[in-house]
Amino acid sequence: MKFVFAASLAAVLGMPLAAHAQSTAEDKTEPTETAAPASPITVSGSAAISSDYRFRGVSQSDQEMAVQGGITVSHESGLYVGTWASNLAGWGTFGGANMELDLIGGYKATLADNATLDVGLTWYMYPGGADKTDFAEPYVKLSGTAGAATLTAGAAYAPKQQAIGRWYRTGADAAAGVYTDPGARDDNLYLWGDGALALAGTPLTARAHIGHSWGQDGLGPNATAVAPTGAYWDWSLGADATYKNLTFNVSYIDTDISDRAASYLRPSFSKGQDGTGNIAGSTVVVSLTAAF
């Protein structure tokens, strides 16, 4: 299912003076350059504005614009910590919060043949939301490059927690307060694959994504869910255009959550909670990201 500021390493230039004896007995100085030792800590991040915040194919901003940003601090050992945030609306508010704040920690290891293994955990927080909204999700990703192509396979598994439990069978039950299983705990598994291909001689990169979710098949304590239909696919096709530290992206995003399946989840699973629309339907999302 998912709003990053950055910094660069500082270098110190030294200019020692070197006296050179000349045939004219004239002394001259010539500057030389020395670099400071590289820091073991790297700070990176970005800030973005997007026409919609889609998490695993489902709108978390009520099909409206989102402002997102985050920061990551990495150590040369491979350890890293970071945070990422976005505004929310509608379905994505998790009991009243208008903000998602993710706390992230993990470890990256470089393997043979240009492969990278990334293992970590994301803690999804919804400040100001109702009780039982936060949940934790460990993940593992394996990335590799072949020429201009980069391929990534990943798995994220959230163990049983109340925030992603099936408390209500349908959206109508949730609206009426008719519990299916109050206090229920469920887990969630998400598998995905990403591909990126840099187009030689251009600032363009083509991107593709496919993912599959297995979850609680119903709604959680705040009438939301990570995988509301139990199991579904999401996918996207898009392209980046990069200029210096700016990246403009256009992506087509869709899921196989049908209007019929979405109807069982309404009114919460709809734009503006008016009981209509499918916030997991096909859409085109545009975004602009600045990396630092």
Side-chain angles (χ1 to χ4, degrees), residues 250-272:
V250 178
S251 293
Y252 171 84
I253 302 174
D254 201 0
T255 75
D256 68 346
I257 298 178
S258 66
D259 289 340
R260 180 178 179 181
S263 67
Y264 287 97
L265 305 169
R266 294 170 183 151
S268 57
F269 196 78
S270 59
K271 179 175 173 57

Side-chain angles (χ1 to χ4, degrees), residues 78-162:
L79 294 172
Y80 64 88
V81 294
T83 185
W84 183 90
S86 176
N87 63 287
L88 304 173
W91 166 266
T93 57
F94 270 78
N98 61 4
M99 176 184 179
E100 175 185 332
L101 177 64
D102 300 344
L103 303 181
I104 307 163
Y107 173 77
K108 283 185 179 181
T110 301
L111 308 178
D113 300 325
N114 298 320
T116 300
L117 180 66
D118 185 353
V119 180
L121 181 142
T122 302
W123 188 280
Y124 297 91
M125 301 177 62
Y126 302 88
D131 292 339
K132 303 179 182 65
T133 56
D134 300 358
F135 66 98
E137 185 181 67
Y139 60 84
V140 58
K141 296 185 288 185
L142 181 63
S143 302
T145 59
T150 300
L151 299 176
T152 301
Y157 176 71
K160 289 188 175 183
Q161 298 161 79
Q162 285 192 344

Side-chain angles (χ1 to χ4, degrees), residues 206-220:
R207 297 190 178 276
H209 162 86
I210 188 167
H212 194 275
S213 297
W214 289 268
Q216 68 263 47
D217 190 19
L219 301 178

Side-chain angles (χ1 to χ4, degrees), residues 67-88:
V67 177
Q68 306 165 338
I71 190 168
T72 300
V73 180
S74 305
H75 188 264
E76 62 183 4
S77 66
L79 294 172
Y80 64 88
V81 294
T83 185
W84 183 90
S86 176
N87 63 287
L88 304 173

